[in-house]
Amino acid sequence: MKAIILIHCPDQSGIISAVTGFIHGKGGNIVYLDQHVDQEANVFFMRLESDFNYDEPQIHIFKEEFETMLGKPYQMQWSLHLNTTKPRMAVFVSKYNHCLYDLLSRFNSGELAVEIPFILSNHLELKPIADQFEIPFHHITVAKENKQSAEDVQLRLLKENRVDFVVLARYMQIVSARLIAAFPNKIINIHHSFLPAFAGAKPYHAAFRRGVKIIGATSHYVTEELDAGPIIAQDVTTVTHSHTINDFIAKGRDLEKIVLSRAVQLHVARKTMVYNNKTVIFS
Amino acid sequence: MKAIILIHCPDQSGIISAVTGFIHGKGGNIVYLDQHVDQEANVFFMRLESDFNYDEPQIHIFKEEFETMLGKPYQMQWSLHLNTTKPRMAVFVSKYNHCLYDLLSRFNSGELAVEIPFILSNHLELKPIADQFEIPFHHITVAKENKQSAEDVQLRLLKENRVDFVVLARYMQIVSARLIAAFPNKIINIHHSFLPAFAGAKPYHAAFRRGVKIIGATSHYVTEELDAGPIIAQDVTTVTHSHTINDFIAKGRDLEKIVLSRAVQLHVARKTMVYNNKTVIFS
Amino acid sequence: MKAIILIHCPDQSGIISAVTGFIHGKGGNIVYLDQHVDQEANVFFMRLESDFNYDEPQIHIFKEEFETMLGKPYQMQWSLHLNTTKPRMAVFVSKYNHCLYDLLSRFNSGELAVEIPFILSNHLELKPIADQFEIPFHHITVAKENKQSAEDVQLRLLKENRVDFVVLARYMQIVSARLIAAFPNKIINIHHSFLPAFAGAKPYHAAFRRGVKIIGATSHYVTEELDAGPIIAQDVTTVTHSHTINDFIAKGRDLEKIVLSRAVQLHVARKTMVYNNKTVIFS
Amino acid sequence: MKAIILIHCPDQSGIISAVTGFIHGKGGNIVYLDQHVDQEANVFFMRLESDFNYDEPQIHIFKEEFETMLGKPYQMQWSLHLNTTKPRMAVFVSKYNHCLYDLLSRFNSGELAVEIPFILSNHLELKPIADQFEIPFHHITVAKENKQSAEDVQLRLLKENRVDFVVLARYMQIVSARLIAAFPNKIINIHHSFLPAFAGAKPYHAAFRRGVKIIGATSHYVTEELDAGPIIAQDVTTVTHSHTINDFIAKGRDLEKIVLSRAVQLHVARKTMVYNNKTVIFS
């Protein structure tokens, strides 16, 4: 059994020694350890992977003792993840298909270790792709008058399907505070600009007007403030005066799908931690 | 003799044919031609390089006929630049030396084909570098009470030294409207962020707080609106959660000097044209 | 009607003037022109796009006169392409699906303006994807004893389906000289290294052993010498000591699909010209 | 006092726990820890930074006990470096000045925490730069007949000046096996290509002939096999068909100086470890 342990707590002398000593004592063999100290906030972060010759049931005792001997004394927030279960990912889309295709083709080829219980959209355009990949598709129209009830259906679907995290693959709708509260740091968005430049609507048009020489894409966890959540991944590409807005959009599509998939992979591999609206991304 | 001709005018059918026909008729051999049409603004841009077996005095007739036969009929704004004179560049600095060192070492090794009549600063810290490279150094303190007179001295120095363009190599002072008006699209600044993100003061601190994964630098022509002028060149580099603000600043220094020097080289090679607060950058 | 004209010929004074004058005289409005002179080989290259108020039948006369007045006198090799027909592209694959998925998803969303008469493979693994996108799939096993007959079938399929160009989307087989001769500069391969580094088999393993800090992918036209044809597009990504060979392969997949699709798009847009085993790639 | 400890040893369970426990017991506060396991070679690497409230003399006891309790039992090769001494760096140059200028301007501005006892060259061209920065310059001509005696002088200079490591800032001479043996993994070279592509002489010419779309620079430790030593840093930039060889060289200069300085900074910060002709580069 392989386990990933994520820890953050107030920084203090001796944590690494205490944690690695505990794991060594429990027969674990640490195959990866990375840590980070936020000097400003005085917070310690650690991610470690350890092999154990335990079976899953016994992990219960491990967790209890970890909490008693380390969690409480060091005021840790910590979590343990086994490699035996795949997280369940819902995908919300609108009309653009490039991010969806990229996620589904990775899923289909086994590159993306998740379950996808359903795809949800406020439009019908991408249903054929869901069909093509044989994944359930839910069409929920979102309009001013039915926002509340649409959200109710969304939340029910997420709950019924035991969804662990949500990917907004160019969803183009503002996600409600209620949904965000139900999935804190568990909704991943792709914004088609190099944030914080060009937050909000039509970023390629804004970039074109400004005459920038580089455009970007940003994947981030969704928070209540629009396009202002913790950044997981960013990438850029060059543009010139000779590119039209349509060229920006076409070049941007390639960025968007790669950056979103990269962020999803990092999330799935438990390589992201969030603190003070920023991420620690382990290597 | 080699001449570079820059043209912009309302777009219309037949311009390229007319211009290339004229140059061919005058015995010119076009060795480079690039053009761009801004479809939105309906403006045509062209840069061409042509070899002539003329001497410089005869170019006078060439220019007169060009204006009569092409300039007026096509409502062109155009300019002709000979490879026989080097533009004269003033450098304004404050306390940071990396951009200055980069410019001067390129100048010293013949890579940068300019004259540098003087370096100007509101501080004395970089005088030793000017001395090291044997370039006159003018120290002009800028304070609230003497802004007007400081500007007077700056303008006089620029005029007396027949300066063609000014490079703000991390000058850290806001340039007055009067100076900008005297050197339209001829003052090149380096801003230490990926504009339009993090305009204004302390961009690395702002980038650090936002938790971006990529930082940048932007070189642009100075206009009255702060950090909003036409962008000449941009570049970026990756950062991670493990980088401190000082790491951002150190990584940024390398970006800043390379991007500023690239912009200066483009300007010197007459590869930049400005329209609607954007640049056309010829290859 | 919009036409793209590609020209290369010995460099000489007056070509641009002659060509643009001709097109202007024929009522064409040039919307794009880019040219390049290979100074070493003394060869002139030009790509131009022009709008005409002709119908397609009349283009016949245009072409005859172009050949008489320009083609012959200037010893041009030239071609004219109308935007009214889509090139027909065959895709050869083996077992890896990421490049195929990327091409097909672009094709399906209208981003890639081609016809795809068939997908061909020496394996059956990717047949479900062809089915998913409803494109004919031909399975032709290639073994030592049947190489000749397998080629015969391939050539027949390409001919019967009037294929214009072939994309090797991680085909993993060496293409025969006969096929290359039948499709000169019309077979596009993706090699999973930054050529000329790591040509041949297992480039990621070789890159891993060498301890490089950057890996790449290269798309090129296939020539008889393995991995040595004219390069169309390249891109790279960073790696570190902490990446395993499998990480190299996973990061490489993203490069491969983007670089191959970029090369295919350039080919389809007639933005590539080949000379002396090198490409001119117009912007 | 701050100390950096570098360790490599056969991988085995419990090392991190043992080392961090030891340091904790000695009153050290670990502010950075990164580790890597080479799974193929079964080797464990670790770099840690720790604050101590020791003075330098007492470190002697620390080191003895570390060796007894950890070094021997775990078969470690380890080293401890204090932040109180600056490494001494000799710079070897030939005629190109861009890398030298970049190193010296960083040195002068305090960015590069080294001592530079001397610059050595087989030519006199760069003596004025050494003078400009007031660093001793040794001119040692290297010719076929005096290779042995030239080396003798070089080795004597390095020894007399207690040089810790050597930077070949475009030295253009092959360094002898004797010098390499005296400074194992302590001679840093910059090669002006993306190794292993274009090893050897005139890489830009070779890259131009091959028609690549990206060029690079590689900094590596010098080993007996030419351009084949462990790679420390690499970077690349794009080129097009429109770039001449001189453009390649000019663009390459910017890469070379940045990549070499980055490698030097990593070496100085003790962030590099070498194993099996590859580097581990800590973040």
Side-chain angles (χ1 to χ4, degrees):
Chain A
M1 188 190 72
K2 177 178 269 185
I4 294 167
I5 299 174
L6 295 173
I7 296 166
H8 75 88
C9 63
D11 189 32
Q12 54 210 288
S13 184
I15 306 175
I16 301 174
S17 167
V19 173
T20 56
F22 177 87
I23 285 167
H24 186 54
K26 288 286 168 191
N29 183 28
I30 297 170
V31 292
Y32 169 94
L33 181 153
D34 198 3
Q35 53 75 243
H36 169 64
V37 176
D38 183 327
Q39 305 281 1
E40 273 189 342
N42 200 45
V43 178
F44 173 87
F45 299 87
M46 188 157 74
R47 179 181 184 279
L48 63 80
E49 293 182 18
S50 181
D51 290 328
F52 292 96
N53 50 2
Y54 293 12
D55 286 333
E56 222 175 309
Q58 286 174 267
I59 204 70
H60 188 64
I61 304 157
F62 178 95
K63 285 168 89 167
E64 264 183 16
E65 294 188 16
F66 192 100
E67 177 60 17
T68 308
M69 295 179 63
L70 299 167
K72 275 208 185 121
Y74 287 96
Q75 299 168 264
M76 288 177 181
Q77 291 193 266
W78 66 281
S79 58
L80 184 150
H81 309 272
L82 300 180
N83 66 338
T84 44
T85 47
K86 289 183 180 176
R88 295 171 66 78
M89 166 178 112
V91 186
F92 286 22
V93 296
S94 193
K95 294 179 178 178
Y96 297 110
N97 63 28
H98 53 288
C99 288
L100 182 62
Y101 262 130
D102 200 65
L103 289 167
L104 295 186
S105 59
R106 287 172 202 269
F107 170 67
N108 232 29
S109 60
E111 193 185 317
L112 190 55
V114 296
E115 305 290 342
I116 305 183
F118 65 87
I119 295 163
L120 180 154
S121 181
N122 55 327
H123 293 283
L124 278 165
E125 274 83 350
L126 303 192
K127 187 174 185 307
I129 300 178
D131 294 348
Q132 209 183 9
F133 287 84
E134 297 175 351
I135 293 170
F137 182 88
H138 297 292
H139 176 227
I140 301 175
T141 49
V142 179
K144 264 185 192 166
E145 55 276 14
N146 81 334
K147 274 223 146 186
Q148 185 77 15
S149 67
E151 265 173 57
D152 290 344
V153 180
Q154 289 175 1
L155 278 164
R156 185 177 48 73
L157 279 169
L158 292 169
K159 203 179 164 190
E160 283 176 7
N161 288 280
R162 289 163 295 116
V163 164
D164 292 304
F165 72 106
V166 178
V167 176
L168 309 182
R170 299 297 311 276
Y171 177 50
M172 311 297 284
Q173 295 285 317
I174 290 173
V175 174
S176 74
R178 203 151 47 114
L179 208 69
I180 296 168
F183 288 87
N185 297 324
K186 290 189 169 162
I187 305 175
I188 298 172
N189 186 41
I190 179 73
H191 183 74
H192 40 314
S193 86
F194 184 78
L195 287 176
F198 311 121
K202 294 208 170 266
Y204 292 130
H205 289 74
F208 182 82
R209 269 196 308 278
R210 180 62 186 91
V212 295
K213 301 303 183 191
I214 292 178
I215 56 170
T218 304
S219 188
H220 62 94
Y221 288 116
V222 175
T223 55
E224 278 211 46
E225 193 182 340
L226 186 66
D227 297 331
I231 293 170
I232 307 168
Q234 297 191 292
D235 208 349
V236 296
T237 194
T238 55
V239 289
T240 75
H241 64 272
S242 72
H243 290 105
T244 62
I245 288 182
N246 283 337
D247 294 331
F248 276 43
I249 292 170
K251 292 199 89 175
R253 272 196 296 260
D254 284 2
L255 280 180
E256 292 161 28
K257 72 185 187 187
I258 297 293
V259 170
L260 178 59
S261 288
R262 197 182 299 159
V264 170
Q265 294 278 30
L266 288 167
H267 182 87
V268 169
R270 316 286 182 182
K271 292 192 168 176
T272 66
M273 293 186 79
V274 173
Y275 192 80
N276 271 355
N277 205 45
K278 294 164 68 169
T279 57
V280 172
I281 304 291
F282 293 105
S283 64
Chain B
M1 186 188 72
K2 177 178 267 184
I4 294 167
I5 299 175
L6 295 173
I7 296 167
H8 75 87
C9 63
D11 189 30
Q12 53 210 290
S13 184
I15 305 175
I16 301 175
S17 168
V19 173
T20 55
F22 177 87
I23 285 167
H24 187 53
K26 288 286 169 191
N29 183 28
I30 297 170
V31 292
Y32 170 94
L33 181 153
D34 198 3
Q35 53 75 242
H36 170 65
V37 176
D38 183 327
Q39 306 280 2
E40 273 190 342
N42 201 42
V43 178
F44 173 86
F45 299 86
M46 188 157 75
R47 180 182 184 277
L48 63 80
E49 294 181 18
S50 181
D51 290 327
F52 292 96
N53 50 2
Y54 293 10
D55 286 334
E56 221 175 310
Q58 285 174 267
I59 203 72
H60 189 63
I61 303 156
F62 179 96
K63 286 168 87 169
E64 263 182 17
E65 292 187 18
F66 192 100
E67 177 60 17
T68 309
M69 294 178 64
L70 299 166
K72 276 210 182 120
Y74 287 96
Q75 299 168 266
M76 287 178 182
Q77 290 194 267
W78 66 281
S79 58
L80 184 150
H81 310 272
L82 300 178
N83 66 339
T84 45
T85 47
K86 289 183 180 176
R88 295 171 66 78
M89 167 177 112
V91 185
F92 286 22
V93 296
S94 194
K95 294 179 176 176
Y96 296 109
N97 63 27
H98 54 288
C99 288
L100 182 62
Y101 261 129
D102 200 64
L103 288 167
L104 295 186
S105 59
R106 287 172 201 268
F107 170 67
N108 232 29
S109 60
E111 193 185 317
L112 190 54
V114 296
E115 306 290 343
I116 305 183
F118 66 86
I119 294 162
L120 182 155
S121 181
N122 55 327
H123 292 283
L124 278 164
E125 273 82 351
L126 303 192
K127 187 175 184 307
I129 300 178
D131 294 348
Q132 209 184 8
F133 287 83
E134 297 175 353
I135 292 169
F137 182 88
H138 297 293
H139 175 228
I140 299 174
T141 49
V142 179
K144 266 186 192 164
E145 56 275 17
N146 81 334
K147 273 225 147 185
Q148 184 76 15
S149 67
E151 267 174 53
D152 290 344
V153 180
Q154 289 175 1
L155 278 164
R156 184 177 49 73
L157 279 169
L158 292 169
K159 203 180 164 190
E160 282 177 7
N161 287 281
R162 291 163 293 117
V163 164
D164 292 304
F165 73 104
V166 178
V167 175
L168 309 182
R170 298 296 312 275
Y171 178 51
M172 311 297 285
Q173 295 285 317
I174 290 172
V175 174
S176 74
R178 204 152 48 114
L179 208 70
I180 296 168
F183 288 86
N185 297 325
K186 291 190 168 160
I187 305 175
I188 298 172
N189 186 40
I190 179 72
H191 183 73
H192 40 313
S193 86
F194 184 77
L195 287 177
F198 311 121
K202 294 207 170 268
Y204 291 129
H205 289 74
F208 182 82
R209 268 195 308 278
R210 181 61 185 90
V212 294
K213 301 303 182 191
I214 292 177
I215 56 170
T218 304
S219 188
H220 62 95
Y221 288 116
V222 175
T223 56
E224 278 210 46
E225 193 182 340
L226 186 65
D227 298 331
I231 293 169
I232 307 167
Q234 297 190 292
D235 208 349
V236 296
T237 194
T238 55
V239 289
T240 75
H241 64 271
S242 72
H243 289 106
T244 62
I245 288 184
N246 283 336
D247 294 332
F248 276 43
I249 292 170
K251 292 198 90 175
R253 272 195 298 260
D254 285 2
L255 280 181
E256 292 162 28
K257 71 185 187 189
I258 297 292
V259 170
L260 178 59
S261 289
R262 198 183 299 159
V264 170
Q265 294 279 29
L266 288 167
H267 182 87
V268 168
R270 316 284 182 182
K271 292 192 168 175
T272 66
M273 293 186 79
V274 173
Y275 193 80
N276 271 357
N277 205 47
K278 292 164 71 169
T279 57
V280 172
I281 305 292
F282 293 105
S283 65
Chain C
M1 187 190 73
K2 177 177 269 185
I4 294 167
I5 299 174
L6 295 173
I7 296 166
H8 76 88
C9 62
D11 189 31
Q12 54 210 290
S13 185
I15 305 176
I16 302 175
S17 168
V19 173
T20 57
F22 177 87
I23 286 167
H24 187 53
K26 288 285 169 192
N29 183 28
I30 296 169
V31 292
Y32 169 94
L33 182 153
D34 199 2
Q35 53 75 241
H36 169 63
V37 176
D38 183 326
Q39 304 281 0
E40 273 190 340
N42 201 44
V43 177
F44 173 87
F45 299 86
M46 188 156 75
R47 179 182 184 278
L48 63 79
E49 293 182 18
S50 182
D51 289 328
F52 291 96
N53 50 3
Y54 293 11
D55 285 334
E56 223 176 308
Q58 286 174 267
I59 204 70
H60 189 63
I61 304 156
F62 179 95
K63 285 168 88 167
E64 264 183 16
E65 293 188 16
F66 192 100
E67 177 60 17
T68 309
M69 295 179 64
L70 299 167
K72 277 210 183 118
Y74 288 96
Q75 299 168 264
M76 288 176 180
Q77 291 193 265
W78 66 280
S79 59
L80 184 150
H81 310 271
L82 301 179
N83 66 338
T84 44
T85 47
K86 289 184 181 175
R88 296 171 67 77
M89 167 178 112
V91 185
F92 285 22
V93 296
S94 193
K95 294 179 177 177
Y96 296 110
N97 62 28
H98 53 288
C99 288
L100 181 62
Y101 261 130
D102 200 64
L103 289 167
L104 295 186
S105 59
R106 287 172 202 269
F107 169 67
N108 232 29
S109 61
E111 194 186 315
L112 190 55
V114 296
E115 306 290 345
I116 306 183
F118 65 86
I119 294 163
L120 181 155
S121 180
N122 54 327
H123 293 282
L124 278 164
E125 273 82 352
L126 303 192
K127 187 174 185 307
I129 300 178
D131 294 347
Q132 208 183 9
F133 287 84
E134 296 175 353
I135 292 170
F137 181 88
H138 297 293
H139 176 227
I140 301 174
T141 49
V142 180
K144 265 186 193 166
E145 56 276 16
N146 81 333
K147 272 224 148 185
Q148 184 77 13
S149 67
E151 266 174 55
D152 290 344
V153 180
Q154 289 175 1
L155 279 164
R156 184 177 49 73
L157 279 170
L158 292 169
K159 202 178 166 191
E160 281 176 8
N161 287 281
R162 289 163 294 118
V163 165
D164 292 304
F165 71 106
V166 178
V167 175
L168 309 182
R170 300 297 311 276
Y171 178 50
M172 309 298 284
Q173 294 286 318
I174 290 173
V175 174
S176 74
R178 204 151 46 115
L179 208 69
I180 296 169
F183 289 86
N185 297 324
K186 290 188 170 162
I187 305 174
I188 299 172
N189 185 41
I190 179 72
H191 183 74
H192 41 313
S193 86
F194 184 77
L195 287 176
F198 310 121
K202 295 207 170 269
Y204 291 129
H205 289 73
F208 182 82
R209 270 196 307 277
R210 179 63 186 91
V212 295
K213 300 304 182 189
I214 293 178
I215 56 169
T218 304
S219 188
H220 62 95
Y221 288 116
V222 174
T223 56
E224 278 211 47
E225 193 183 340
L226 186 67
D227 298 331
I231 293 169
I232 307 168
Q234 297 190 292
D235 208 349
V236 296
T237 194
T238 55
V239 289
T240 76
H241 64 272
S242 72
H243 289 105
T244 62
I245 288 182
N246 282 337
D247 294 332
F248 277 43
I249 291 170
K251 291 199 89 174
R253 273 195 296 260
D254 284 3
L255 280 180
E256 292 160 29
K257 72 185 188 188
I258 297 294
V259 170
L260 178 59
S261 289
R262 197 183 299 157
V264 170
Q265 293 279 29
L266 288 167
H267 182 87
V268 169
R270 317 285 182 181
K271 292 192 168 175
T272 65
M273 292 186 80
V274 173
Y275 192 80
N276 270 356
N277 205 46
K278 293 165 68 169
T279 57
V280 172
I281 304 292
F282 293 104
S283 64
Chain D
M1 186 189 72
K2 176 178 270 186
I4 294 167
I5 299 174
L6 295 173
I7 296 165
H8 76 87
C9 62
D11 188 31
Q12 53 211 288
S13 184
I15 305 175
I16 301 175
S17 168
V19 173
T20 56
F22 177 86
I23 285 167
H24 186 53
K26 288 285 168 190
N29 183 28
I30 296 169
V31 292
Y32 170 95
L33 181 153
D34 199 1
Q35 54 75 243
H36 169 64
V37 176
D38 183 326
Q39 306 280 2
E40 272 189 343
N42 200 43
V43 178
F44 173 86
F45 300 87
M46 187 157 75
R47 180 182 184 278
L48 63 79
E49 294 182 18
S50 181
D51 290 328
F52 291 96
N53 51 2
Y54 292 11
D55 287 333
E56 220 175 308
Q58 286 174 267
I59 203 70
H60 188 65
I61 304 155
F62 178 95
K63 286 168 88 166
E64 265 183 16
E65 293 188 16
F66 191 101
E67 177 60 17
T68 308
M69 295 178 63
L70 299 167
K72 276 211 184 118
Y74 287 96
Q75 299 168 265
M76 287 178 181
Q77 290 193 267
W78 66 280
S79 58
L80 183 150
H81 310 272
L82 300 179
N83 65 338
T84 43
T85 46
K86 290 183 180 177
R88 296 171 66 78
M89 165 179 113
V91 186
F92 286 21
V93 295
S94 193
K95 294 179 177 178
Y96 297 109
N97 63 28
H98 53 287
C99 288
L100 181 62
Y101 261 130
D102 201 64
L103 289 168
L104 295 186
S105 59
R106 287 173 202 268
F107 170 66
N108 232 28
S109 61
E111 193 186 315
L112 190 54
V114 297
E115 306 290 344
I116 306 184
F118 66 86
I119 294 163
L120 181 154
S121 181
N122 54 327
H123 293 283
L124 278 165
E125 273 82 352
L126 303 192
K127 186 174 185 308
I129 300 178
D131 294 348
Q132 211 184 7
F133 287 84
E134 297 175 350
I135 292 169
F137 182 89
H138 297 293
H139 176 227
I140 301 174
T141 49
V142 180
K144 266 187 193 163
E145 56 275 17
N146 80 335
K147 273 225 147 185
Q148 183 78 13
S149 67
E151 266 174 55
D152 290 344
V153 180
Q154 289 175 1
L155 278 164
R156 185 178 47 74
L157 279 170
L158 292 169
K159 201 180 166 191
E160 281 176 8
N161 287 281
R162 290 163 293 119
V163 165
D164 292 305
F165 72 105
V166 178
V167 176
L168 309 183
R170 298 296 311 275
Y171 177 51
M172 311 297 284
Q173 295 284 317
I174 289 172
V175 174
S176 73
R178 203 154 44 119
L179 208 69
I180 296 168
F183 288 87
N185 296 325
K186 290 191 169 160
I187 305 175
I188 299 172
N189 186 41
I190 179 72
H191 184 73
H192 40 313
S193 86
F194 184 78
L195 287 176
F198 311 122
K202 295 208 172 267
Y204 291 130
H205 289 74
F208 182 81
R209 268 194 309 277
R210 180 62 186 89
V212 295
K213 301 304 182 189
I214 292 178
I215 56 170
T218 304
S219 188
H220 62 95
Y221 289 116
V222 175
T223 55
E224 278 209 48
E225 192 183 341
L226 186 66
D227 298 331
I231 293 170
I232 308 168
Q234 297 190 293
D235 208 349
V236 296
T237 193
T238 55
V239 289
T240 75
H241 65 272
S242 73
H243 289 105
T244 62
I245 288 183
N246 282 337
D247 294 331
F248 276 43
I249 292 170
K251 292 198 90 173
R253 273 195 297 260
D254 284 3
L255 280 180
E256 292 161 28
K257 72 185 189 189
I258 297 293
V259 170
L260 178 59
S261 289
R262 197 182 300 157
V264 170
Q265 294 278 30
L266 288 167
H267 182 87
V268 168
R270 317 283 182 183
K271 292 190 169 177
T272 66
M273 292 185 80
V274 173
Y275 192 80
N276 271 356
N277 205 45
K278 294 165 68 169
T279 57
V280 172
I281 304 292
F282 293 105
S283 63

